Amino acid sequence: MKKSVSRFQTSSLDDLKSVLVESGVRFLLPSYVDMHGVSKSKMVPMSHFDRAMAGSELCTGAAVDGVPQDISDEEVAAHPDPASCTIQPWMPDVAWFASNLHCEGKPFEPCSRNILGRVVSEAESLGLGMNLGVETEFFVFRDDGSQCQPMSPRHNLDKPAYDTSRLLDNIGWMGELVDAMNALGWDVYSFDHEDGIGQFEIDFSYADVMTMADRVVFFRRMANEIARRHGGFASFMPKPFGHYAGSGAHFNMSLYDTATGANLFVADDDPRDCGLSASGYHFVAGLLRHLPAISAVVAPTVNSYKRLILKGSNSGFTWAPVFCSYGNNNRTNTIRIPGGGGRVELRLADSSGNPYLGAAMVLAAGLEGIREELDPGEPHRENLYVTTEDERRKTGVDTLPRTLGEALDAFASSDLARRTFGDTMFGAWLAYKRDEWLAYLNHVSDWERDRYLRFF
């Protein structure tokens, strides 16, 4: 069923204003994101609520990554979405709003939230909506100048996954974060210590795709702020340690009927025996067609591709996706249909992505698969990690991009990416990421000095 999109069940802006005043809110944060999914905003006193909700706060886009403007352009205006209103648990006199950017009186095409909104509208024209759950994985380290030291003073285990003692050592900041998420109505249902040193995962209930994208943006900031209160900081870098698994942010998706709320991926009868409907398989096929271009957006950093490797963790295999494939409850596939069916998991996404842009690409690809009734072929049930290149070639399984550069090449040649982002954001995002990749290639690392300085 479709989830509620609003924490405050108010019928008007006047009602919302009254609730915020009664809650002791003094300041408003009409917030939008840059291309990285990082919040940007101006703060507005509560006494100017009406002006702020009408888009009073203007910003120079040229000062922000991924708000592509020239200095001479008209400023952009943040228009808060009332349904997104969230009182900050760690600072309850401040109310945050996810906002859409406007320019010259109309929606600003390159705004990340507007980009997702356009794809959501496309789905709605077909009578469809998307529910999204995101498995948030991240590291928390001591903020004392040390390099990637965990909050727990215990010695580091070779295999710390699911370790009870280290989880309980972190219950101070973790408990506060989970309590804050539940106070916001996010319904946390589990959390654990993951495979990396100081790495954690928090799982909470799904929501419609726009609400979930808003929550991921808010979550990253909230996790950091609460960790800071306990002497730490939250890192959403995908792979801080070369010999431990990295942080993913798996997308769990289903489409629902906007008229009834019914999950359209649930199957009455599935001859492929994965518990997925025909629409679900069409959706999967659309993802498979565009996985390399999607990769550039949901795994958008140089470091992302050091997570997407077959081996290299202390647990042997990294558990990360490597192949353009789908299957049943089989974690060696990039696209997995978990046990019970009724949803699709994209294991490629990591914690450094812009959730609006990532969700927009995924939904656009899935809708293409549905419109064209694409067939993904038979699901892969074998352990793809132990197959040979020749065996995979015979079954049509390609490898995901191995570097950010390869992923950007796929993005650059993708008509779907250009249509989804729009020409302006497509060009600006690609140019920024090309420069990032080139800067990495030109950087002389300690590894190179250690290997080559006295090599000859």
Side-chain angles (χ1 to χ4, degrees):
M1 297 293 289
K2 183 179 177 182
K3 293 284 184 176
S4 170
V5 299
S6 176
R7 181 182 172 215
F8 296 106
Q9 301 298 322
T10 55
S11 59
S12 69
L13 289 180
D14 287 340
D15 289 343
L16 177 57
K17 182 178 180 180
S18 296
V19 169
L20 295 181
V21 170
E22 291 170 6
S23 300
V25 169
R26 298 167 58 216
F27 303 111
L28 311 172
L29 275 177
S31 178
Y32 57 96
V33 300
D34 63 12
M35 69 165 56
H36 315 295
V38 176
S39 289
K40 304 290 181 179
S41 57
K42 288 184 178 180
M43 188 168 278
V44 180
M46 188 66 204
S47 58
H48 291 274
F49 174 89
D50 294 334
R51 293 182 65 254
M53 298 306 292
S56 64
E57 298 317 300
L58 304 178
C59 302
T60 302
V64 179
D65 290 338
V67 183
Q69 286 191 305
D70 290 329
I71 296 174
S72 58
D73 287 344
E74 186 67 36
E75 294 172 308
V76 291
H79 283 245
D81 180 352
S84 71
C85 180
T86 305
I87 293 178
Q88 298 190 155
W90 71 94
M91 194 179 291
D93 59 348
V94 176
W96 175 88
F97 293 83
S99 303
N100 297 77
L101 290 178
H102 284 57
C103 186
E104 297 180 335
K106 59 184 179 182
F108 185 58
E109 184 193 67
C111 166
S112 295
R113 201 170 191 264
N114 287 342
I115 288 170
L116 177 55
R118 291 196 296 271
V119 186
V120 168
S121 295
E122 179 185 345
E124 289 174 344
S125 71
L126 301 173
L128 304 174
M130 186 169 92
N131 279 323
L132 175 64
V134 176
E135 301 173 30
T136 52
E137 293 182 348
F138 59 104
F139 290 82
V140 172
F141 299 124
R142 294 204 305 262
D143 195 13
D144 59 1
S146 58
Q147 187 71 12
C148 296
Q149 290 300 309
M151 299 288 280
S152 172
R154 297 176 191 264
H155 69 281
N156 296 333
L157 294 173
D158 287 340
K159 295 185 178 183
Y162 308 124
D163 187 74
T164 301
S165 297
R166 283 152 188 79
L167 176 62
L168 292 175
D169 285 348
N170 287 270
I171 201 64
W173 66 264
M174 176 67 85
E176 185 176 340
L177 178 56
V178 169
D179 286 346
M181 295 168 72
N182 283 332
L184 295 174
W186 294 9
D187 188 23
V188 174
Y189 56 84
S190 73
F191 53 98
D192 65 89
H193 193 289
E194 285 287 297
D195 193 57
I197 299 299
Q199 184 188 29
F200 303 88
E201 177 178 331
I202 303 180
D203 295 318
F204 55 101
S205 187
Y206 66 85
D208 69 274
V209 62
M210 186 66 77
T211 298
M212 182 53 65
D214 292 340
R215 288 179 178 176
V216 170
V217 168
F218 189 84
F219 173 83
R220 289 193 298 203
R221 195 165 55 86
M222 178 166 63
N224 221 334
E225 293 299 328
I226 290 177
R228 287 179 66 238
R229 290 159 67 122
H230 294 261
F233 70 96
S235 175
F236 296 91
M237 179 181 181
K239 184 92 168 182
F241 301 108
H243 57 297
Y244 286 101
S247 291
H250 301 162
F251 282 15
N252 289 272
M253 301 161 287
S254 63
L255 295 185
Y256 61 85
D257 185 314
T258 54
T260 66
N263 183 346
L264 298 177
F265 283 5
V266 171
D268 295 327
D269 180 34
D270 176 9
R272 291 180 168 123
D273 198 29
C274 291
L276 198 64
S277 69
S279 294
Y281 284 112
H282 297 327
F283 188 93
V284 166
L287 296 183
L288 286 171
R289 174 185 279 182
H290 295 286
L291 266 184
I294 290 171
S295 178
V297 184
V298 301
T301 69
V302 168
N303 185 252
S304 296
Y305 295 85
K306 298 184 178 182
R307 167 182 167 256
L308 303 176
I309 58 176
L310 188 64
K311 292 184 178 181
S313 81
N314 282 14
S315 295
F317 293 113
T318 63
W319 301 86
V322 180
F323 307 113
C324 295
S325 63
Y326 93 99
N328 63 333
N329 195 32
N330 172 1
R331 288 171 172 81
T332 68
N333 288 292
T334 294
I335 302 170
R336 168 177 166 256
I337 304 169
R343 61 187 169 101
V344 170
E345 179 186 69
L346 178 66
R347 298 172 55 76
L348 174 58
D350 71 41
S351 297
S352 67
N354 178 327
Y356 300 110
L357 298 180
M361 281 290 288
V362 167
L363 179 54
L367 292 178
E368 182 177 295
I370 287 174
R371 284 194 305 269
E372 298 183 24
E373 297 186 347
L374 300 179
D375 187 347
E378 290 302 307
H380 290 274
R381 304 177 189 276
E382 71 274 26
N383 182 352
L384 287 169
Y385 288 168
V386 299
T387 58
T388 66
E389 184 176 351
D390 186 58
E391 288 171 335
R392 293 192 298 272
R393 186 183 301 111
K394 289 177 180 177
T395 58
V397 174
D398 293 325
T399 302
L400 288 171
R402 277 293 300 115
T403 66
L404 177 62
E406 289 182 12
L408 293 176
D409 287 342
F411 181 88
S413 62
S414 169
D415 289 338
L416 179 85
R418 184 179 290 276
R419 292 196 308 271
T420 302
F421 275 46
D423 287 339
T424 303
M425 187 57 151
F426 178 87
W429 190 89
L430 185 58
Y432 182 97
K433 286 295 176 179
R434 291 281 200 204
D435 285 347
E436 182 177 338
W437 177 239
L438 183 60
Y440 173 72
L441 292 179
N442 290 340
H443 171 70
V444 179
S445 66
D446 289 342
W447 183 93
E448 292 168 275
R449 276 186 285 267
D450 290 344
R451 186 172 181 88
Y452 301 123
L453 194 63
R454 296 178 181 272
F455 187 88
F456 304 99

